[in-house]
Amino acid sequence: LSSSPLAAVGQCGNQIGCCFWDLALREHAAVNQVPAPPEACINFSILLSFRVVGDGGSISKGKISSLKARAVLIDMEEGVVNEILQGPLRDVFDSKQLITDISGSGNNWAVGHKIFGNLYREQILEKLRKSAEHCDCLQCFFIIHSMGGGTGSGLGTFLLKVLEDEFPEVYRFVTSIYPSSEDDVITSPYNSMLAMKELNEHADCVLPIDNQSLFDIISKIDSVVNSGKLGTTVKPKSVITSGAGAIKKQHKKPFDAMNNIVANLLLNLTSSARFEGSLNMDLNEISMNLVPFPQLHYLVSSLTPLYTLADVNIPPRRLDQMFSDAFSKDHQLIQADPRHSLYLACALMVRGNVQISDLRRNIERLKPTLQFVSWNQEGWKTSLCSVPPVGHSHSLLALANNTCVKPTFMELRERFMRLYKKKAHLHHYLHVEGMEESSFAEAVSSLSALIQEYNELDATKSMPVQDVPRLIVAV
């Protein structure tokens, strides 16, 4: 059985990770018609993200107490991890696979990366090795972290380098949460810029997700629910809701609902490995088929239907409309419009009662409206998982390698430069041993080189095919 350990780093990473494991258990319980957590029984469909320990009996009769998440939880503050260990899923996490400190990284990439990275390197390595040893067939490593804080950005990207050194042949799949322009962490542009350099160099595949897009999605859902349009209602008791609940109107920013969306992305991403399907996709195939150039490994994700992700009950979308939605800017988990940018490749991961002929028909329908690079006009990868999300007939996760990510990176560079030109808060970083001002210049250079690669691709959009530069292959 193939399996993929997940490393959750920092407050944001651990909150999303906990939500994912909760949803995975609940989905498993609903699909297999067994009790929901904490009484749930287990079978093979759950073993991508969980392993059986102790004398749990047979796979079909084992109880959730026999399950341990394929997880390494890392945070330099104890708060979030302690909440998880005191919550309903406390027995799912192996206490030997946790790393915490009490001081925190102070929203400083250098503290997370340089100080805590060096301090906890051997412990991190030991726990990663143990996670790998528990896998019969190690497929890839997932990392969930945020870019704006100190632990998520610093220690999260340190983890990438450790994985590359220890498991060079195993793909590193990263879900990175980018701060909005109104982020309350004043040093988040520094942290994000320094983390970007590490993602450029050590990740195989990155799913960038920005907080602003998540917040906008939740706001739209809230607006639709309050308007009472289309018979829309918030589900009072959903099988697939996370324990934290969906929309919390008392909070200005409903982070629980935002985390729920990201967790559902991971749920769809791993569905082919957890359930049967006529055209299942190995996770490694995503990186192999969607990343033609090593550095251009940032994939824009979109989900449809979106409203189900926040426990909102609306009439189901027609199948063809679902495919159209996946390519509209309103369904992207990053502020981008892929239709007006250039595609390098695209993957469609469909769940539910959908036929291959439906997939092909919609691809042919959409192709004239989407611009692909001249050398990859047929750059589609498709997947069909027969088990739909709970309570719905079908869903779609689209992953696009598209130049529309460029504005996000350009905005990040601009926010960084506004701080850096004033040398604001720079001393907090430079007092960390091993940190030099040249590190900032190298990070800017790395991101600028990435933006330039996207610029060069965009420049080919208006060129006749015969004038597009050909790849030069070294002999």
Side-chain angles (χ1 to χ4, degrees):
L1 287 172
S2 61
S3 43
S4 304
L6 192 155
V9 188
Q11 176 179 330
C12 175
N14 279 287
Q15 288 174 335
I16 292 172
C18 185
C19 187
F20 164 71
W21 285 301
D22 182 22
L23 291 180
L25 284 170
R26 292 174 183 276
E27 181 175 73
H28 158 79
V31 169
N32 293 287
Q33 298 183 336
V34 296
E39 292 82 20
C41 296
I42 58 178
N43 70 8
F44 283 105
S45 69
I46 204 70
L47 296 185
L48 172 84
S49 304
F50 297 86
R51 61 186 175 88
V52 181
V53 297
D55 185 16
S58 67
I59 292 294
S60 60
K61 295 181 180 179
K63 297 294 183 180
I64 195 174
S65 57
S66 305
L67 285 180
K68 292 296 178 188
R70 299 187 188 277
V72 178
L73 308 185
I74 304 172
D75 199 357
M76 296 299 99
E77 292 178 343
E78 296 181 304
V80 173
V81 173
N82 282 344
E83 280 182 27
I84 293 172
L85 296 181
Q86 292 167 13
L89 296 184
R90 56 187 174 275
D91 293 332
V92 165
F93 298 99
D94 186 343
S95 60
K96 296 177 182 176
Q97 291 296 91
L98 314 176
I99 299 176
T100 59
D101 201 295
I102 56 173
S103 57
S105 298
N107 293 322
N108 188 325
W109 178 91
V111 173
H113 198 87
K114 301 285 186 181
I115 295 179
F116 287 127
N118 291 328
L119 184 62
Y120 285 99
R121 178 186 172 86
E122 291 309 312
Q123 284 189 50
I124 290 172
L125 194 50
E126 177 195 348
K127 295 180 192 317
L128 290 171
R129 284 175 181 157
K130 189 165 286 188
S131 289
E133 288 166 3
H134 287 143
C135 299
D136 294 327
C137 178
L138 180 60
Q139 192 172 70
C140 66
F141 282 102
F142 277 110
I143 296 175
I144 308 175
H145 73 126
S146 68
M147 299 287 280
T151 300
S153 68
L155 202 52
T157 53
F158 179 85
L159 196 66
L160 272 177
K161 185 66 170 70
V162 172
L163 285 170
E164 185 180 45
D165 291 341
E166 186 69 13
F167 304 94
E169 304 301 319
V170 182
Y171 281 109
R172 297 169 296 282
F173 224 106
V174 188
T175 301
S176 301
I177 312 300
Y178 286 66
S180 69
S181 57
E182 298 176 1
D183 189 69
D184 55 4
V185 176
I186 196 166
T187 54
S188 69
Y190 286 159
N191 298 331
S192 300
M193 179 67 78
L194 293 162
M196 274 296 298
K197 179 176 181 292
E198 303 300 314
L199 290 180
N200 286 345
E201 294 178 359
H202 305 301
D204 291 303
C205 208
V206 179
L207 301 182
I209 297 168
D210 69 55
N211 270 330
Q212 189 60 51
S213 288
L214 296 176
F215 183 57
D216 289 347
I217 288 168
I218 299 302
S219 297
K220 287 174 189 172
I221 293 170
D222 208 2
S223 176
V224 171
V225 170
N226 290 334
S227 71
K229 292 178 182 176
L230 302 172
T232 306
T233 57
V234 178
K235 299 176 187 177
K237 215 171 192 182
S238 169
V239 179
I240 201 67
T241 185
S242 72
I247 300 175
K248 292 198 169 184
K249 296 177 185 175
Q250 64 267 34
H251 293 313
K252 187 177 180 182
K253 291 192 176 182
F255 288 110
D256 290 327
M258 293 160 71
N259 292 340
N260 187 282
I261 291 177
V262 182
N264 269 279
L265 179 150
L266 296 174
L267 213 60
N268 281 272
L269 187 66
T270 59
S271 61
S272 276
R274 293 184 292 116
F275 300 111
E276 292 182 351
S278 57
L279 192 66
N280 274 349
M281 186 191 300
D282 186 291
L283 287 167
N284 289 339
E285 292 181 67
I286 295 172
S287 186
M288 289 173 63
N289 288 273
L290 266 63
V291 182
F293 305 112
Q295 196 173 19
L296 303 184
H297 53 241
Y298 296 87
L299 306 182
V300 178
S301 51
S302 60
L303 279 165
T304 178
L306 270 174
Y307 296 108
T308 61
L309 305 182
D311 283 347
V312 176
N313 193 15
I314 65 166
R317 302 288 271 172
R318 289 181 295 109
L319 182 63
D320 288 4
Q321 184 61 48
M322 182 180 77
F323 281 89
S324 298
D325 287 345
F327 293 90
S328 73
K329 61 182 180 181
D330 291 338
H331 284 255
Q332 311 300 313
L333 301 191
I334 186 171
Q335 291 192 305
D337 188 357
R339 276 185 180 271
H340 295 97
S341 300
L342 192 64
Y343 281 86
L344 279 70
C346 185
L348 300 178
M349 305 183 75
V350 184
R351 297 184 64 180
N353 185 22
V354 180
Q355 305 302 314
I356 293 177
S357 58
D358 295 323
L359 247 176
R360 289 173 178 161
R361 184 185 77 254
N362 276 284
I363 288 175
E364 290 303 316
R365 177 176 67 86
L366 290 164
K367 273 171 69 174
T369 68
L370 308 173
Q371 188 163 4
F372 274 73
V373 289
S374 60
W375 39 264
N376 200 24
Q377 292 290 307
E378 302 299 322
W380 297 85
K381 182 68 180 171
T382 54
S383 163
L384 286 177
C385 172
S386 58
V387 177
V390 175
H392 292 270
S393 57
H394 45 253
S395 71
L396 170 61
L397 167 63
L399 299 175
N401 194 332
N402 189 293
T403 59
C404 67
V405 295
K406 182 179 68 175
T408 295
F409 298 151
M410 292 174 67
E411 183 188 347
L412 171 58
R413 185 175 61 180
E414 288 168 11
R415 289 176 57 213
F416 168 85
M417 291 308 297
R418 283 199 292 270
L419 274 182
Y420 188 62
K421 283 177 181 176
K422 299 175 182 176
K423 306 295 183 186
H425 307 285
L426 208 59
H427 61 286
H428 294 301
Y429 293 78
L430 298 181
H431 84 274
V432 175
E433 186 178 352
M435 192 72 188
E436 299 177 358
E437 192 165 342
S438 59
S439 300
F440 290 90
E442 290 168 4
V444 174
S445 177
S446 175
L447 185 58
S448 296
L450 179 65
I451 292 169
Q452 182 57 30
E453 286 200 51
Y454 284 116
N455 282 334
E456 290 171 3
L457 281 169
D458 274 335
T460 67
K461 280 196 299 185
S462 56
M463 288 185 187
V465 174
Q466 64 269 21
D467 294 337
V468 174
R470 297 295 178 187
L471 292 175
I472 300 174
V473 180
V475 179

